[in-house]
């Protein structure tokens, strides 16, 4: 391309038409920028259309059933026993106000961690059984995934409001921030290597800067979400675990402190942004 | 028993737009599991949409349709308050029927 006759002619003409030449070069660089932006906009349009009939709703329906049904060895429903921070059984706006500190568990918990905690403590399920298959495959969707989708749907179009004023949550946020900057693994990189500055991308995917509100919301939006590739429903817990895999880190434990802290950092940074509910992914 | 469908039906001008989300594995019969065994085909074969009990759409689906498919229909001559019934039958004889009201 650089050695094309047109370019050479252009370079030849530069001495006489310097100003015009410079203009042509900057214009072609600009065209590339615009193409990239255009592709991103087109993809957003496609996503908006898909969201109109988002299969996430199917999982939401199952989650609702699970939330209200008496289940587990203790035969109680989550609706009559589980407090997501808004009072027992209350789910309106609960998702956008997590992670938060729960005194009964003495831990900062994200939505999925809290729901699993309720399933174990209130309904009597065994944590090890849940943690054996924590994420969806093409033939299986965990109950917790359906429940998170149901709860998240009841925070649709609400502002993210992680209670960072709570010292316990703030502490979790600080640890999460440290973790995001922690370089390790065979490739020696941290979360921040890709997600700590503006304007980075991998192939065609723009990488959000999770330290900013506008960037962090991109890491929150669309989760839990339906992956069109494979047709499976996945949660924030899964996304975080997959980040560890992509970094070639050892797999974190399901609903562990580590993930809760990272989620506190990311979702906390998105405070004030509007959450659009369960989403749809490529 | 199959999982419920999600049906949306709304009047747009004089045309009723119906959107149906179905929960179904839609296995093609071509895929293999991790042991190398073929996963048997399992897909929706026929689907019907009825308006107040009268069939307005009758169609056939094939294994090439995606998992958890979305179908959209436009129907003339419907009005707000009409009852929409969507039903499907798959190749294993499993079936599901759900209702919604036109908004």
């Amino acid at each position: 391309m650089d050695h094309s006759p047109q370019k050479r002619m252009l370079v030849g003409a530069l001495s006489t038409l310097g100003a015009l030449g410079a203009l042509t070069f900057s214009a072609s660089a600009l065209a590339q920028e615009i193409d990239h932006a255009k592709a991103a906009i087109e993809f957003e349009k496609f996503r908006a259309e898909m969201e109109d009939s988002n299969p996430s709703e199917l999982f939401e329906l199952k989650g609702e059933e699970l939330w209200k049904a008496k289940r587990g060895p203790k035969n109680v429903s989550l609706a009559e026993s589980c407090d997501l921070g808004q009072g027992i059984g209350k789910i309106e706006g609960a998702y956008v106000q997590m992670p938060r500190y729960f005194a009964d568990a003495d831990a900062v918990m994200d939505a999925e961690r809290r729901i699993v905690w309720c399933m174990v403590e209130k309904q009597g399920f065994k944590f090890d059984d849940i943690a054996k298959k924590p994420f969806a495959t093409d033939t299986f969707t965990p109950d917790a995934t359906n429940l998170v989708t149901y709860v998240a749907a009841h925070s649709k179009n609400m502002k993210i409001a992680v209670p960072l004023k709570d010292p316990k949550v703030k502490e979790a946020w600080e640890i999460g921030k440290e973790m995001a900057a922690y370089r390790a693994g065979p490739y020696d990189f941290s979360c921040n290597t890709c997600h700590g500055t503006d304007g980075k991308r991998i192939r065609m995917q723009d990488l959000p800067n999770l330290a900013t509100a506008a960037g962090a919301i991109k890491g929150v939006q669309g989760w839990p979400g339906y992956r069109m590739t494979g047709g499976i429903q996945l949660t924030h817990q899964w996304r975080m675990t997959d980040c560890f895999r992509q970094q070639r880190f050892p797999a974190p434990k399901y609903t562990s402190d580590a993930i809760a802290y990272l989620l506190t950092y990311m979702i906390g940074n998105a405070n004030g942004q509007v959450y659009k509910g369960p989403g749809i992914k490529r | 028993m199959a999982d419920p469908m999600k049906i949306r039906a709304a009047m747009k001008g004089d045309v009723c737009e119906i959107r149906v989300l179905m929960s179904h594995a839609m296995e093609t019969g071509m895929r293999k599991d991790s042991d190398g065994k073929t996963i048997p085909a399992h897909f929706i074969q026929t689907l019907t949409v009825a308006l107040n009990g009268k069939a307005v759409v009758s169609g056939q689906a094939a294994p090439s349709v995606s998992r958890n498919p979305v179908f959209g229909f436009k129907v003339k001559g419907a009005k707000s308050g009409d009852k929409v019934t969507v039903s499907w039958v798959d190749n294993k004889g499993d079936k599901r029927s759900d209702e919604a009201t036109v908004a």
Side-chain angles (χ1 to χ4, degrees), chain A residues 31-47 204-206:
Chain A
Q32 261 180 2
E33 280 283 301
I34 291 169
D35 273 354
H36 179 60
K38 214 194 267 173
I41 291 166
E42 285 300 314
F43 187 73
E44 278 310 311
K45 263 194 222 162
F46 167 67
R47 182 138 61 192
M204 284 295 281
Q205 262 68 62
D206 291 312

Side-chain angles (χ1 to χ4, degrees), chain B residues 4-82:
Chain B
M5 287 178 250
K6 183 108 184 176
I7 305 168
R8 277 206 195 95
M11 294 304 295
K12 289 226 172 118
D14 59 346
V15 177
C16 175
E17 275 195 12
I18 303 169
R19 283 229 189 196
V20 192
L21 256 170
M22 293 172 183
S23 181
H24 201 282
M26 297 302 283
E27 278 295 345
T28 62
M30 307 293 277
R31 297 199 316 142
K32 288 184 172 137
D33 64 14
S34 50
D35 300 328
K37 275 186 252 149
T38 304
I39 305 170
H42 185 207
F43 57 91
I44 293 171
Q45 248 174 343
T46 58
L47 55 105
T48 50
V49 181
L51 205 65
N52 293 330
K54 181 175 166 261
V56 286
V57 177
S58 156
Q60 295 178 328
S64 62
V65 175
S66 82
R67 174 176 304 149
N68 300 330
V70 179
F71 290 99
F73 312 99
K74 286 181 180 172
V75 180
K76 272 188 186 167
K79 60 184 184 308
S80 181
D82 280 0

Side-chain angles (χ1 to χ4, degrees), chain A residues 56-82:
Chain A
S56 269
E57 288 179 35
L58 296 171
F59 300 89
E60 192 187 319
L61 281 178
K62 283 180 216 164
E64 182 173 6
E65 228 168 77
L66 290 168
W67 180 261
K68 291 173 180 167
K70 288 187 190 296
R71 290 175 2 109
K74 293 183 186 168
N75 199 35
V76 288
S77 73
L78 292 173
E80 64 193 359
S81 66
C82 189

Side-chain angles (χ1 to χ4, degrees), chain A residues 161-174:
Chain A
V162 177
L164 290 176
K165 283 195 183 115
D166 183 330
K168 299 264 190 190
V169 180
K170 186 70 186 173
E171 187 193 4
W173 184 89
E174 294 286 356

